Amino acid sequence: MTIKGKPTSLDIAHLAGVSQPTVSRALRGHPSVSRDTRERILAIARELNYKVDKNASNLRCQQSGTLALLFFEEPADDAINPFFLSMLGAITRACALRGYDLLISFQQLSSDWHADYEDSHKADGLLLLGYGDYLQARDQLQQLVEQGTRFVRWGAALPGQPGVSIGSDNFQGGRAMAEHLLAQGRRRIAFLGDASARYPEFQERHRGLAAALAEAGLATGPALQVDAVTSEQSGFEAARALLARGTPFDAIFAGSDLIAIGAMKALHEHGLRVPDDVAVAGFDDIPLAAFVTPGLSTVQQDTRQAGALLVDTLIAQIEGAPVESRTIPGRLVLRGSTGALSPAQPRASR
C-alpha cells in the first residue's frame, strides 16, 4: 500500500486488517485489544512513523489526556518521604507508556483539596499519595465519589472504603518480618508506629506482628508499642520514649524505614548495639536502608508494580471499565540490623 502524505489511523487499520477504533484502543493500551493485535498495530505505526494527534484525540473524547498526582503533606514538612519519590518515578514511567501527561500537585492535608476538582477539567483522574490520617481523609474521599471524580489512592484496601485503592499486603509483610525476628531468637518485639485505624497501613503491619507472636505463644501489648509517624525524628523520639518506660525489649519493628533509622540513632545514643542488643527492622526498603550502618532489614514494597497498577487502574476507570482494589505482596530484604548473614542476600517472604 502506498501512502501519500501524513499517515493516519485509517491507514494503520487497513494494513493491520482491523477497524479504526481497534487501532485507537491499541495505541492507548486498552486491555480489550489482544497482545498480538496490539503488537502488530504498534509495529505498523512505528514503520509508518505515525504520531498520535493528542489534541484531536482528546477533543473527540472530551478528555485532557492528563492525570493528576496529588501529594499530601503537613504544613511543617519540607521533605518528601523517599518512598513516595520512588513511587513518583514509577508513576511517571507508567504514564509515559500509556500516552498520558502527568500533573503533580502538592496539597495541604487541612485544605479543601477535593473541592478544587469538582468542576475542573485539569485532569481526567486523580492519583492520591500520602493522604495522612485516614479517618480525617475519608469524608473528602467520599465527596470525590459523590462528585463522580475518578481517582485511585495508594493505601490499604479497607472494607466499605470510598473509591479504589492499590496497596501492599501490610499484614503479610508485618507477619513475615516478625517471623524472621522470632527465628533470630528475639522474643520481646516492640512496634513503633501509630497502630490505630487512623493509619491503617501501620495497623495492619502491627496486626501481622501480633499474629506471628501469638502463633509462637508470645504476646504484644501497649507497653511495647509507641506511636510514631513516618520521619526519622518521630522514630528517634518514639525509641527514646520506649527506652524511658524501662520495659525490656530485644527487637524493634518500625512501621517505616524512616522510623527505624531514627530509632537506631536513639539506641546508639543510649549505648545499645544493633543488632547485638536490639534488632531493628523497618518497612518500605527506601534507598537509604542499604546505606545506614548496619544495613536495615526491611519489607520491600514493589514501587514499579505499584506505579503501573495505579496508572492502569485509573485509566481503566476513565475508559469505563470495572475496577477493584488490589494488594501487592511485600518481600523481605534482610540486612545486618537484624543479624542477617549478609546484606547481599535478600530473602523472599513466604
Side-chain angles (χ1 to χ4, degrees):
M1 176 181 177
T2 302
I3 297 173
K4 296 180 180 180
K6 187 177 179 180
T8 68
S9 59
L10 287 172
D11 297 324
I12 297 174
H14 178 79
L15 291 171
V18 299
S19 67
Q20 191 273 340
T22 298
V23 171
S24 297
R25 287 194 292 269
L27 294 175
R28 295 200 312 269
H30 196 283
S32 65
V33 181
S34 71
R35 180 178 177 181
D36 289 345
T37 300
R38 184 185 302 114
E39 289 179 351
R40 186 168 75 254
I41 290 170
L42 291 175
I44 294 170
R46 285 193 297 269
E47 185 177 344
L48 296 179
N49 197 27
Y50 174 79
K51 303 294 184 184
V52 176
D53 186 341
K54 291 183 67 175
N55 291 330
S57 175
N58 293 338
L59 183 62
R60 287 193 300 271
C61 300
Q62 293 295 303
Q63 294 177 357
S64 67
T66 299
L67 305 182
L69 173 61
L70 273 56
F71 271 114
F72 296 91
E73 58 179 354
E74 296 288 0
D77 288 346
D78 294 324
I80 299 174
N81 183 344
F83 173 74
F84 288 140
L85 292 178
S86 298
M87 186 79 80
L88 172 59
I91 289 171
T92 302
R93 284 190 295 271
C95 285
L97 289 171
R98 297 297 299 270
Y100 275 80
D101 294 324
L102 183 65
L103 171 67
I104 301 174
S105 177
F106 288 89
Q107 304 288 328
Q108 299 294 339
L109 289 168
S110 58
S111 71
D112 292 329
W113 52 269
H114 56 288
D116 293 340
Y117 292 88
E118 181 171 0
D119 299 309
S120 172
H121 297 289
K122 298 176 186 176
D124 301 328
L126 308 180
L127 299 165
L128 310 179
L129 291 184
Y131 53 84
D133 185 329
Y134 173 73
L135 296 184
Q136 291 182 7
R138 188 168 53 191
D139 289 343
Q140 292 168 307
L141 296 174
Q142 183 60 42
Q143 288 189 49
L144 289 182
V145 172
E146 293 170 0
Q147 291 163 194
T149 302
R150 292 159 296 206
F151 72 94
V152 181
R153 67 181 180 89
W154 170 256
L158 304 170
Q161 67 181 17
V164 175
S165 65
I166 304 295
S168 285
D169 189 336
N170 295 289
F171 175 83
Q172 169 261 339
R175 182 169 188 152
M177 182 56 76
E179 289 172 347
H180 163 66
L181 291 169
L182 290 168
Q184 298 298 106
R186 311 295 170 159
R187 290 297 178 267
R188 297 190 59 80
I189 305 172
F191 184 84
L192 303 186
D194 189 332
S196 71
R198 296 169 59 229
Y199 293 90
E201 291 84 0
F202 284 179
Q203 186 180 46
E204 284 296 288
R205 292 166 197 177
H206 181 260
R207 199 168 68 86
L209 166 65
L213 290 174
E215 195 171 275
L218 304 170
T220 186
L224 288 174
Q225 188 271 322
V226 183
D227 286 351
V229 296
T230 297
S231 74
E232 298 97 321
Q233 184 63 33
S234 186
F236 176 78
E237 293 171 359
R240 290 186 66 181
L242 178 65
L243 289 163
R245 290 178 182 175
T247 303
F249 63 94
D250 57 13
I252 287 176
F253 177 29
S256 75
D257 289 347
L258 292 180
I259 294 173
I261 290 168
M264 289 170 68
K265 177 177 172 61
L267 293 172
H268 175 74
E269 290 188 359
H270 200 75
L272 295 172
R273 298 166 299 167
V274 177
D276 302 58
D277 301 315
V278 180
V280 178
F283 205 107
D284 287 338
D285 196 29
I286 62 174
L288 184 59
F291 292 95
V292 294
T293 303
L296 180 64
S297 290
T298 184
V299 180
Q300 182 186 81
Q301 302 195 77
D302 189 339
T303 54
R304 183 177 290 271
Q305 182 185 9
L309 276 175
L310 283 165
V311 171
D312 287 349
T313 302
L314 182 55
I315 293 175
Q317 267 192 64
I318 292 167
E319 295 179 343
V323 295
E324 59 184 16
S325 297
R326 293 273 303 275
T327 56
I328 304 169
R331 187 176 75 94
L332 288 189
V333 178
L334 304 181
R335 303 186 176 102
S337 69
T338 58
L341 294 177
S342 168
Q345 294 178 342
R347 186 183 309 166
S349 61
R350 295 188 303 171

